[in-house]
Amino acid sequence: MQSYQKAITVKEDDLDDLDHVNNVRYVQWMQDISKEHWMKAAPEEMRKGIIWVVMTHHITYKSAAVLGDVIEMSTYIQKSKGAVSVRIVEMHNKKTKELLVKSSTEWCLLNAETYRPMRISDEIKDFFTRS
């Protein structure tokens, strides 16, 4: 699977009342890395006229991250069928390698003008599933 990685450092604004990364921040990071992967990996011509929207997030929180931790994030498309792709995002503590969060998100492909679902083309599937 073609994957995309990035690292971020936890800042004070990322924390909740327990001084751990806020769950809402993890969701934002999941969406951010997913969009970055699409924007950087897919050619501009492939991106024209289409948008992706979230249908569901399934998130497992395994461990907490705190101020100053470096989080290594990775994402890839697990499968696609019809108008829906399932994207996996994992976040690990860079220092300890411990899994912090794992998510599976269903993204629906829409026509950017009509906002109606559209079948994911073989070109898109092939592009994101090659090694």
Side-chain angles (χ1 to χ4, degrees), residues 107-126:
W107 289 84
C108 184
L109 184 64
L110 301 181
N111 178 296
E113 291 182 24
T114 65
Y115 298 116
R116 296 184 59 88
M118 56 187 285
R119 183 170 296 282
I120 300 165
S121 70
D122 287 340
E123 178 187 17
I124 292 173
K125 287 180 194 177
D126 292 346

Side-chain angles (χ1 to χ4, degrees), residues 6-8 70-74 90-94 97:
K6 73 182 270 185
I8 55 169
V70 176
I71 298 175
E72 292 181 324
M73 296 190 290
S74 64
E90 292 185 353
M91 299 184 199
H92 290 85
N93 181 302
K94 183 175 182 175
K97 305 300 181 198

Side-chain angles (χ1 to χ4, degrees), residues 16-97:
D16 61 17
D17 293 341
L18 300 174
D19 289 329
H20 299 130
V21 172
N22 189 308
N23 293 353
V24 174
R25 185 67 72 195
Y26 284 117
V27 173
Q28 183 64 57
W29 291 338
M30 284 180 247
Q31 292 189 174
D32 290 348
I33 193 171
S34 299
K35 182 176 180 180
E36 283 179 35
H37 185 206
W38 171 248
M39 296 301 289
K40 289 185 178 185
E44 184 177 348
E45 195 60 35
M46 184 184 287
R47 298 189 318 257
K48 284 185 179 177
I50 58 178
I51 58 174
W52 292 95
V53 295
V54 171
M55 295 173 54
T56 63
H57 283 301
H58 299 279
I59 305 166
T60 302
Y61 298 97
K62 301 294 275 183
S63 189
V66 297
L67 185 64
D69 282 351
V70 176
I71 298 175
E72 292 181 324
M73 296 190 290
S74 64
T75 186
Y76 62 91
I77 302 297
Q78 183 180 53
K79 64 181 177 180
S80 296
K81 184 176 181 182
V84 178
S85 275
V86 177
R87 177 180 285 279
I88 304 299
V89 175
E90 292 185 353
M91 299 184 199
H92 290 85
N93 181 302
K94 183 175 182 175
K95 184 176 180 180
T96 66
K97 305 300 181 198

